[in-house]
Amino acid sequence: MASSDIAAILENSKELDRLRKDQEEILLEINKLHKKLQTTPEVVEKPGDNSLARLKVLYTQAKDLSDSEANISNLLISQLDAILPPGPQGQPRRRIGKGNEQRRKRVKTESDISRLTPSMRNQLEACASLKGEQVAARVTPRNAEKDEWFVVKVIHFDKETKEFEVLDEEPGDDEDSSGQRQYKLPMGNIIPFPKSNDPSSAPDFPPGKHVLAVYPGTTALYKATVVHGHRKRKTDDYVLEFDDDEEDGSLPQRTVPFHKVVPMPEGHRP
């Protein structure tokens, strides 16, 4: 075993440590921006505000660092394989059965999750805690001409694939099937509703703010505008005007509970 081999492994280990520290810093910045946008979502409409552009840059940096971490990890594994001695001669090879394969998958998943940063683990735990809850879900693909958002129930969240399994319990008359429909959706397609028994979790949207809200009497969400600023408490209903809801030449004002209103997703296609 050459000392140069050990030196190369130690050097790559230092690089891996640096990448993870950089990831921590980027995720702290992302969390700060998340809190800013949650508490004052209207800031993105102010002239000169670059919050969303900055968030996109941070996400790109986080992805690049994650890719670099994976590359360095794979390199370290190859270097270790090259210098580790082979197993004892004549040792029988153990056949990997289905049960062992399942255990390996489970260990791999738990290992992957344990290597995540605290903030990423917290995000995955928050997603998993939504099981049984109703959420807003975009059920149309990314390249669809129009986004469709429905109220669905979370059945399961897979921490490995980072996908939600959800159930549309009340599909509309225009659905292909009259029964309930299930979807598998990525994290970006899900927006949790504020909890009806915890108003502190609800953002406070000012008049003129565009939001996504459940249209009264349906389980579909549409773009709407906040028109009244009379809300004195976070538990008060919103008065909204929904786009394309014209009656007799004007938009009627409709009342929607605060826990059925969420921020307008970036790039929404109504």
Side-chain angles (χ1 to χ4, degrees):
M1 183 186 303
S3 59
S4 58
D5 293 333
I6 299 298
I9 290 174
L10 293 176
E11 191 64 31
N12 283 328
S13 296
K14 290 179 182 178
E15 177 65 12
L16 190 63
D17 186 53
R18 184 192 67 79
L19 287 170
R20 287 179 175 172
K21 288 178 180 178
D22 289 347
Q23 281 180 304
E24 290 279 2
E25 293 176 2
I26 292 293
L27 288 168
L28 283 174
E29 290 295 318
I30 289 175
N31 285 337
K32 287 179 183 177
L33 263 178
H34 282 175
K35 289 180 181 178
K36 174 184 174 182
L37 295 175
Q38 286 173 353
T39 54
T40 55
E42 67 277 4
V43 72
V44 298
E45 296 187 353
K46 293 182 179 180
D49 180 77
N50 67 342
S51 299
L52 296 179
R54 175 62 179 159
L55 193 59
K56 181 179 179 180
V57 170
L58 290 171
Y59 277 136
T60 302
Q61 291 175 338
K63 180 182 180 301
D64 291 343
L65 287 169
S66 179
D67 291 342
S68 298
E69 180 188 354
N71 291 335
I72 294 293
S73 297
N74 288 332
L75 179 58
L76 281 165
I77 291 171
S78 299
Q79 290 174 322
L80 289 168
D81 284 341
I83 63 175
L84 283 173
Q89 289 188 356
Q91 180 178 354
R93 292 185 178 273
R94 186 177 180 185
R95 181 167 182 171
I96 304 296
K98 186 174 182 181
N100 288 323
E101 187 68 22
Q102 290 297 326
R103 281 194 290 275
R104 280 177 46 181
K105 288 181 179 179
R106 182 170 65 250
V107 170
K108 179 182 182 299
T109 300
E110 292 171 351
S111 174
D112 289 345
I113 292 173
S114 67
R115 288 191 289 106
L116 295 173
T117 60
S119 59
M120 294 174 71
R121 283 200 299 269
N122 290 340
Q123 186 178 13
L124 292 179
E125 291 298 331
C127 290
S129 70
L130 292 172
K131 182 177 180 179
E133 300 279 342
Q134 286 191 332
V135 296
R138 188 186 75 208
V139 299
T140 45
R142 186 181 297 273
N143 59 354
E145 293 183 3
K146 180 179 179 181
D147 291 339
E148 293 185 356
W149 288 80
F150 298 141
V151 178
V152 299
K153 181 179 179 180
V154 176
I155 300 174
H156 176 67
F157 176 71
D158 190 321
K159 292 181 182 179
E160 183 178 6
T161 63
K162 299 180 179 61
E163 282 187 330
F164 282 92
E165 186 176 348
V166 300
L167 178 67
D168 183 2
E169 298 178 285
E170 300 180 25
D173 295 336
D174 57 341
E175 297 287 348
D176 295 335
S177 172
S178 58
Q180 299 176 335
R181 295 188 64 181
Q182 290 191 18
Y183 299 91
K184 282 191 175 182
L185 303 171
M187 293 169 61
N189 284 38
I190 301 294
I191 303 178
F193 286 117
K195 295 187 180 298
S196 58
N197 59 353
D198 182 16
S200 64
S201 65
D204 194 11
F205 301 112
K209 182 69 177 178
H210 295 311
V211 296
L212 205 61
V214 178
Y215 190 85
T218 76
T219 56
L221 292 92
Y222 299 96
K223 180 181 177 183
T225 305
V226 179
V227 294
H228 272 210
H230 71 284
R231 296 175 74 248
K232 297 180 180 179
R233 301 184 304 272
K234 278 202 166 187
T235 54
D236 289 341
D237 293 341
Y238 279 100
V239 178
L240 307 174
E241 288 181 350
F242 286 88
D243 287 16
D244 302 322
D245 189 29
E246 187 172 329
E247 288 183 1
D248 300 326
S250 62
L251 293 176
Q253 297 181 354
R254 304 191 185 276
T255 302
V256 179
F258 77 93
H259 57 275
K260 295 298 183 184
V261 182
V262 296
M264 174 64 62
E266 184 180 359
H268 175 66
R269 292 161 295 190

